[in-house]
Amino acid sequence: MGAPSGEIIVTGGLGFIGSHLVDAYLAAGHRVTIIDSNAGAVIDGEDYDADPRCTVVRQRVEDYLAAGGDFTGADRVIHAASYVGPASILSRAGRLGHDIIGSTAPVIDACIGAGAPLCMFSSAEVYGRSGVLDEKDDILVPTQYNTRIEYAIAKTLAEAMVSNSRQHGLRGVVIRPFNVAGARQSRAGGFVMPTFVQQALAEKPITVFAGGEQVRAFIAASDLTGFIIDYMDAALDGDDIIINVGNPANAITVMELAHRVKDLLGSPSPVVSVDGRSVHGPHYAEAESFHKIPALRAATGLGWQPRIALDELILSTAEYYRAREDRRAVNAPL
């Protein structure tokens, strides 16, 4: 199932998902080039600098390509570079479309030029509605254009670009991840799992937004990377360009998650309801997909299954943050 060792390019490879992919590819015997502007980095990359199999290019991928860089010799390109997280994207309001398309278009062109297969990360935010969400379902675009909607529209357009670029020789697939979590994920982005875990470890109040009735299905980063490493070739040869990757067995309300984290970690932290805007500012908004559960028709059709259960995911995240600080959120209050 996994591809033979080769040359891998990971944009955003110092970020949460990107760094897990880099680690998995290195462990599988590949050489990896990371292209990362450091905008969303969760690690400094010094260990990668010291690894002769890994090259770190610290600039935006669009700048790298504009300056004459290319993807010649790449066996695959994983485009994971993006602003992510309901809090992190707020500072880019009005620019997110430019950010996302401005990096995706040159990546597509470079992949076509080099004959390199592309895996692009989109977002489950594109669905714009609640429910069990299938890749074949129509996408709903709400008309209140808050920053999350701008992000979702831009990701949708990037998906269409990948799909339509197949007419020009691109071999590409798009991954829609559902609530990836695990070690290294930063609460600075507004992500709920590392926020709850770090609050519980610090014995601070666990802050739940919007009543906590949101339903999320958390998938471990290792399960996501397992799909990319072992099933990307099959996905490229299959009929589905858009592929959900998630773990519906881990579906839980955010309020239930807060109490699960508290109980598993034996924390005295109280669970409290707060207005997200009081934490992240007046432009913060909840996702349109209040209940967000993936249908896994395409991914499981290739033979993949998620493995990591919710409690194991919570405990592994806590183990990571017991031993180290949250690099991106070190100066942010809990």
Side-chain angles (χ1 to χ4, degrees):
M1 288 183 296
S5 60
E7 301 287 335
I8 312 298
I9 293 174
V10 181
T11 74
L14 300 181
F16 168 55
I17 290 176
S19 64
H20 279 274
L21 282 163
V22 171
D23 289 349
Y25 275 120
L26 290 173
H30 300 269
R31 294 182 56 85
V32 180
T33 296
I34 297 167
I35 306 174
D36 195 302
S37 70
N38 206 47
V42 298
I43 56 174
D44 57 26
E46 291 181 357
D47 289 343
Y48 298 144
D49 289 324
D51 190 329
R53 301 168 302 153
C54 194
T55 301
V56 183
V57 179
R58 289 177 169 84
Q59 66 182 132
R60 299 189 311 167
V61 64
E62 55 266 47
D63 294 338
Y64 168 79
L65 294 171
D70 60 35
F71 296 158
T72 299
D75 293 284
R76 62 191 58 199
V77 175
I78 313 297
H79 184 36
S82 181
Y83 287 92
V84 295
S88 293
I89 63 174
L90 293 174
S91 66
R92 301 302 298 170
R95 299 292 295 169
L96 272 173
H98 178 273
D99 294 336
I100 292 169
I101 303 308
S103 68
T104 302
V107 164
I108 290 173
D109 289 343
C111 286
I112 293 172
L118 171 65
C119 175
M120 189 201 82
F121 278 87
S122 181
S123 170
E125 293 264 341
V126 302
Y127 284 104
R129 59 180 180 78
S130 291
V132 177
L133 304 168
D134 186 273
E135 300 96 337
K136 297 295 187 183
D137 291 344
D138 289 337
I139 287 170
L140 179 65
V141 180
T143 55
Q144 71 279 13
Y145 292 148
N146 60 41
T147 311
R148 288 182 89 137
I149 300 304
E150 181 183 355
Y151 176 80
I153 292 171
K155 285 293 190 180
T156 303
L157 177 55
E159 290 185 0
M161 292 165 64
V162 171
S163 178
N164 290 338
S165 291
R166 285 193 163 195
Q167 301 173 30
H168 306 292
L170 178 71
R171 293 187 72 217
V173 293
V174 173
I175 302 300
R176 288 180 183 163
F178 281 68
N179 294 96
V180 188
R184 296 183 191 153
Q185 188 176 44
S186 174
R187 62 185 169 85
F191 296 105
V192 66
M193 177 78 78
T195 299
F196 288 178
V197 165
Q198 290 180 51
Q199 288 171 334
L201 291 175
E203 300 185 0
K204 299 288 187 178
I206 299 174
T207 51
V208 175
F209 299 168
E213 294 306 309
Q214 312 94 313
V215 175
R216 298 292 181 259
F218 294 92
I219 181 172
S222 58
D223 277 336
L224 172 63
T225 58
F227 177 82
I228 303 298
I229 296 288
D230 292 333
Y231 293 93
M232 181 175 164
D233 284 345
L236 286 165
D237 292 334
D239 296 327
D240 293 292
I241 298 173
I242 312 295
I243 301 174
N244 287 343
V245 179
N247 190 342
N250 286 345
I252 189 171
T253 71
V254 170
M255 182 62 78
E256 290 168 340
L257 176 68
H259 286 283
R260 183 81 67 90
V261 168
K262 172 183 169 71
D263 293 345
L264 279 174
L265 303 187
S267 173
S269 296
V271 176
V272 299
S273 293
V274 301
D275 185 342
R277 292 170 295 184
S278 70
V279 177
H280 297 304
H283 300 296
Y284 175 83
E286 290 294 324
E288 292 296 322
S289 299
F290 209 70
H291 296 171
K292 185 165 57 176
I293 302 173
L296 297 181
R297 173 186 48 80
T300 56
L302 297 172
W304 173 84
Q305 291 284 346
R307 291 184 169 87
I308 306 299
L310 182 62
D311 286 358
E312 182 180 351
L313 180 52
I314 292 168
L315 291 170
S316 64
T317 303
E319 180 181 5
Y320 181 84
Y321 279 117
R322 281 194 179 102
R324 56 188 60 77
E325 292 182 313
D326 185 332
R327 180 177 182 270
R328 291 191 62 207
V330 65
N331 295 317
L334 276 170

